[in-house]
Amino acid sequence: MDIAVLVKQSLDVQELRVDQDTGKIYIEDAPTKAGDIELNATEEAVRLKEKLGDKAIAVMLSTWGASGKRQKEAREALTRVLAMGLDGAVLIMGEGAEKGDTYVIARALAEEIRGKFELVLAAEGSEDNFSGLLPARLAAELGWPYVAYATAIEVEGDHVKVTRSLEDFEEVVRVKLPAVISVTQEINKPRVPKLVEIVKAKKKPLDQKDFSPPDEPKLAIKTLKVPKVERKQIVIEGDVEEVAEKLVQALREEGVL
Amino acid sequence: MADFDVIVVGAGPAGSVASYLLAKEGHTVLTVERGKRPGAKNMFGGRLYSWSLEKVFPEFWKEAPVEREVTKEVLGFLHGDRGLEIRLSARPRGRSFTLLRAKFDQWLAEKAEDAGAEVISGFKVEGPLIRDGRVVGIVAEGDEEMEAEVVIAADGALSFMAEKAGLRPRLSKEDFAVGAKEVIELPKETIEDRFGLSGDEGAAQLYVGDLTEGVVGGGFIYTNKESVSVGVVMRIGSLASKVSKISTAMWEITEKFKSHPLIRRYLEGGKLAEYSAHIIPETQFMRGVRLYTDGMVVVGDAAGFCVNYGVTVRGMDFAIESARAAAEAVHQALESGDTSAKSLSRYQEILSSGMLREFEAARKAVDLMEDERLYTSIPKIAVESLEHLFSVDGRPRESLYSFVRKEFSEEGISLLSALLLGWKALRSM
């Protein structure tokens, strides 16, 4: 039973620069990386495959066009997860991918996954957008069951038992493979690869394929801006008691308290 | 057998150049960088003298991400809100370029990678792996050992590699300066207007004066394509004796420099894009740093190859030259199968016939630069003397000579010591 781990080439949001005056986000300047929760998905895939003795492969569909810089970053992100113990990686990249919406990406990924894998592991949400839509959409394209927010996964023959963490309770479900499962950060603690594993990871098979759009996107982003937060800029002066009283009053007026 | 022929610690200019040259010779090279990416942690004022990199990549500026070629040199004296700028519009021998390290260091590291070196970023090296008194590899984070025939320590100013291998003593604050820098974005045209540049021309401007309040150091501005790098560099020893908290003082002095009327007009309307601070080795090469031991050599800032002549501040060009020399020595050592200290001493031999001579000269300049009068009295006298010269108010005027003499005596500098200072300056620069 081969496992696919979905790894997104996410923006490193910590390094995202924003023009405070215009709200413009310098997306092209920001580096990209594999998302943190995808490291949890990778860890889970490696644990499962160690038990089951099958292959676990990272699948990345880069939505950054075909620039050299993004290609290098994509390969670095894949090296990171390969170093954790995956057996290989597939990188789908090319012109037109940047226009893809979740629907297009899910369809393209389904084409890659169908017939090759029986279990798909993904993060509950990506590092940058965190819409959490893709795994569900992919499951729909594949016609497979989808289990979200997994905190534990056990394989039982041709079934998997998944513990799901929901708001007020925990749910244990059993699904027949093939299936798509999204994991949360609680599921495990991703291993930190050693230097020698990173060196070896660079030599693992990385299959790069050209992206060919399976369909027209249904959704297009028109603008992307940081919302302007207007500060009230109220300064309260006076002695401590006065200030406290006025502050409480002001907070009440704003409906904060 | 070792895991690699060579492990290079640090992917700054020295590390990447050494990696590139050795990988090109067909050796297996692993380069380990602690920053997220090569260049992510690195900083300098803003200018690279090209002589040494040209030997490795002839006409590298045609391909490398450089910003502007420096054609305007400015030396400035600031006193109060007044200032004097000496502007040289010429092309001194040897080219120099302004550049931004995040981009440039990445380019150099890619060169090393393309030549076959394994460059791994975001990984910390704890120190050299030492067996029977000999460096045989590195210890990476998590106590992981990795062996190499030769280790090249290119891990920067604070080099723990050199220290742990016993190649340099624990350094004191006297051995370092600290630099703070801001990158301020401005439209290309605005930069060219304000600095009197055209096309890809660039300016390098250095300032001394009372802004550092008597601390040994000064301010700088370098023009990039669409930004300027502006900041201050100060001797830590000198700074620590005068202020209680170095970080606050650095920030205050940077702000003061930026708001000086002479400096402000260069920066007006600009947008702060980046802020950084870094430690700079100042005199350590002269303080008992050894460059090689059995199985290891030290290059670049790690060896203290950094020099401040006052009007020229250099580090990156020396780092590259030292890496080139080290690569040559390491290559020969690997070919001969002898990587002992004796074999690696070739590294110092190569440097001795070239770069190290400049360091002898630099030592004299560094001594001169210690003179605090250069940062207080001299800028004041320069500014006020010229102010006097250009003053017309209808009253009979004192001669420039007697004015300057008075200025010197106000500063408590005798004519003889002024002459001596001048003589020292002429001899050492």
Side-chain angles (χ1 to χ4, degrees):
Chain A
M1 184 194 73
D2 284 352
I3 306 168
V5 184
L6 299 187
V7 180
K8 182 179 175 184
Q9 188 176 10
S10 299
L11 285 170
D12 188 341
V13 286
Q14 283 179 343
E15 291 197 40
L16 210 49
R17 272 180 58 217
V18 173
D19 189 322
Q20 294 298 344
D21 302 333
T22 60
K24 184 181 182 313
I25 310 172
Y26 293 92
I27 288 183
E28 282 310 316
D29 294 347
T32 58
K33 57 176 264 207
D36 283 344
I37 310 176
E38 278 142 14
L39 301 186
N40 295 91
T42 302
E43 176 64 39
E44 201 58 25
V46 173
R47 286 184 193 192
L48 290 174
K49 86 157 189 132
E50 277 168 0
K51 256 186 252 165
L52 303 167
D54 298 298
K55 275 190 179 162
I57 307 286
V59 179
M60 174 182 277
L61 197 158
S62 166
T63 51
W64 295 103
S67 86
K69 176 189 156 201
R70 292 304 192 203
Q71 199 168 140
K72 187 166 184 282
E73 287 176 347
R75 285 173 167 267
E76 274 165 14
L78 288 171
T79 302
R80 178 78 177 76
V81 291
L82 284 169
M84 289 174 68
L86 297 181
D87 301 289
V90 178
L91 169 60
I92 306 164
M93 190 162 203
E95 293 301 344
E98 68 276 17
K99 295 186 198 82
D101 58 356
T102 315
Y103 161 68
V104 169
I105 304 301
R107 279 201 66 167
L109 281 171
E111 278 174 31
E112 182 57 39
I113 285 162
R114 197 177 287 119
K116 292 182 199 152
F117 301 97
E118 275 181 277
L119 176 61
V120 175
L121 294 182
E124 59 167 319
S126 61
E127 181 101 354
D128 47 9
N129 289 338
F130 212 90
S131 76
L133 295 174
L134 187 81
R137 192 119 214 186
L138 173 66
E141 287 294 331
L142 291 165
W144 296 0
Y146 172 53
V147 186
Y149 314 121
T151 53
I153 301 171
E154 262 178 76
V155 178
E156 298 176 338
D158 59 352
H159 281 70
V160 276
K161 197 174 94 182
V162 184
T163 310
R164 308 177 64 211
S165 158
L166 300 170
E167 211 143 288
D168 301 318
F169 56 92
E170 219 177 63
E171 188 182 74
V172 180
V173 295
R174 201 162 173 272
V175 281
K176 191 168 189 296
L177 292 170
V180 178
I181 302 173
S182 77
V183 307
T184 67
Q185 217 150 8
E186 290 80 53
I187 193 165
N188 55 37
K189 192 167 174 291
R191 70 194 68 190
V192 180
K194 287 182 170 182
L195 197 49
V196 64
E197 288 163 339
I198 302 175
V199 172
K200 279 188 191 146
K202 290 193 167 192
K203 296 186 179 82
K204 285 187 180 177
L206 197 159
D207 184 10
Q208 186 164 344
K209 298 178 176 180
D210 257 345
F211 173 80
S212 56
D215 200 353
E216 287 297 308
K218 294 178 191 286
L219 187 134
I221 295 169
K222 290 279 180 210
T223 57
L224 188 61
K225 268 188 187 171
V226 170
K228 249 205 161 121
V229 183
E230 294 290 342
R231 302 285 169 199
K232 301 257 173 187
Q233 303 194 334
I234 303 165
V235 179
I236 303 168
E237 286 173 87
D239 62 42
V240 179
E241 274 168 47
E242 244 177 287
V243 170
E245 202 167 303
K246 281 183 190 163
L247 175 64
V248 170
Q249 198 188 334
L251 290 174
R252 283 224 169 92
E253 276 166 24
E254 293 296 329
V256 180
L257 295 180
Chain B
M1 218 187 105
D3 301 306
F4 287 90
D5 293 337
V6 186
I7 294 180
V8 180
V9 182
S16 288
V17 164
S19 304
Y20 166 80
L21 290 169
L22 287 161
K24 214 178 65 162
E25 292 291 350
H27 302 295
T28 56
V29 179
L30 172 67
T31 312
V32 190
E33 162 60 35
R34 189 174 172 178
K36 259 189 187 176
R37 290 175 299 284
K41 286 172 73 257
N42 305 344
M43 176 204 167
F44 81 147
R47 176 221 302 248
L48 167 69
Y49 291 95
S50 67
W51 65 279
S52 56
L53 194 57
E54 274 181 66
K55 296 184 193 170
V56 184
F57 302 109
E59 303 200 316
F60 67 87
W61 51 87
K62 290 187 174 160
E63 181 199 343
V66 296
E67 294 287 316
R68 291 170 181 273
E69 178 168 1
V70 177
T71 55
K72 299 256 188 317
E73 306 274 355
V74 171
L75 180 61
F77 298 100
L78 305 177
H79 187 72
D81 58 3
R82 296 166 292 171
L84 161 67
E85 282 181 344
I86 302 168
R87 181 174 299 266
L88 172 71
S89 188
R91 185 173 288 177
R93 282 189 322 281
R95 290 165 172 244
S96 71
F97 297 88
T98 60
L99 52 88
L100 296 165
R101 293 290 295 276
K103 284 189 224 164
F104 192 83
D105 288 13
Q106 214 159 342
W107 174 80
L108 264 183
E110 274 165 27
K111 283 281 166 197
E113 249 180 329
D114 292 345
E118 297 274 6
V119 181
I120 290 175
S121 301
F123 218 91
K124 193 179 158 199
V125 173
E126 304 286 357
L129 176 64
I130 300 171
R131 276 188 208 134
D132 304 324
R134 192 200 141 86
V135 176
V136 293
I138 57 162
V139 181
E141 60 183 286
D143 276 335
E144 185 186 352
E145 294 178 354
M146 191 76 107
E147 291 177 10
E149 303 291 342
V150 182
V151 172
I152 298 181
D155 55 337
L158 288 173
S159 184
F160 293 110
M161 290 294 293
E163 200 177 305
K164 287 182 180 168
L167 286 179
R168 72 179 206 191
R170 239 201 133 71
L171 297 164
S172 75
K173 57 181 189 279
E174 314 301 327
D175 297 302
F176 295 101
V178 58
K181 178 175 109 166
E182 290 180 5
V183 175
I184 294 173
E185 286 176 349
L186 281 165
K188 197 172 179 292
E189 302 72 37
T190 310
I191 293 173
E192 284 159 14
D193 277 356
R194 287 184 189 173
F195 292 86
L197 308 168
S198 58
D200 291 331
E201 287 180 342
Q205 320 205 140
L206 298 171
Y207 298 86
V208 287
D210 60 354
L211 76 132
T212 57
E213 289 163 17
V215 172
V216 176
F220 61 83
I221 308 179
Y222 294 101
T223 57
N224 304 311
K225 278 200 181 88
E226 291 178 340
S227 66
V228 296
S229 298
V230 52
V232 297
V233 174
M234 280 178 287
R235 274 292 173 75
I236 295 181
S238 170
L239 187 61
S241 67
K242 290 195 165 67
V243 299
S244 57
K245 200 159 184 281
I246 286 177
S247 57
T248 324
M250 284 301 287
W251 184 78
E252 279 170 8
I253 292 169
T254 308
E255 284 306 306
K256 207 165 117 190
F257 177 55
K258 278 167 52 197
S259 56
H260 188 283
L262 202 60
I263 305 303
R264 196 171 55 209
R265 68 192 166 97
Y266 290 120
L267 312 173
E268 236 151 23
K271 214 170 244 174
L272 177 67
E274 202 182 298
Y275 177 87
S276 56
H278 210 282
I279 196 161
I280 303 160
E282 280 267 323
T283 57
Q284 40 173 294
F285 181 71
M286 291 134 229
R287 279 174 171 256
V289 173
R290 282 192 295 135
L291 295 176
Y292 56 88
T293 182
D294 289 316
M296 186 169 115
V297 293
V298 187
V299 296
D301 270 11
F305 288 136
C306 214
V307 141
N308 183 352
Y309 288 78
V311 293
T312 54
V313 184
R314 299 165 57 182
M316 210 167 144
D317 57 329
F318 286 135
I320 290 163
E321 179 67 0
S322 69
R324 200 182 63 81
E328 195 183 318
V330 169
H331 170 59
Q332 286 181 9
L334 288 170
E335 293 293 292
S336 71
D338 175 11
T339 55
S340 66
K342 191 162 169 286
S343 171
L344 292 171
S345 69
R346 173 101 187 96
Y347 167 40
Q348 184 148 353
E349 269 168 44
I350 300 169
L351 287 181
S352 296
S353 59
M355 195 182 103
L356 286 184
R357 288 201 198 151
E358 289 200 62
F359 267 84
E360 282 305 310
R363 183 185 296 186
K364 287 183 189 148
V366 171
D367 283 347
L368 174 78
M369 293 301 137
E370 305 274 345
D371 197 322
E372 291 193 356
R373 290 175 300 184
L374 282 179
Y375 308 91
T376 49
S377 307
I378 303 300
K380 175 179 182 285
I381 295 167
V383 170
E384 291 186 344
S385 302
L386 272 132
E387 193 178 41
H388 175 77
L389 185 67
F390 287 103
S391 291
V392 175
D393 62 358
R395 279 181 296 179
R397 209 171 58 154
E398 197 181 346
S399 81
L400 185 60
Y401 173 72
S402 92
F403 180 85
V404 172
R405 245 189 102 154
K406 219 166 69 195
E407 284 270 310
F408 271 104
S409 83
E410 264 175 36
E411 291 298 309
I413 304 175
S414 72
L415 214 49
L416 184 66
S417 71
L419 285 172
L420 265 171
L421 190 62
W423 175 242
K424 245 169 89 178
L426 286 174
R427 292 227 353 170
S428 66
M429 287 168 85

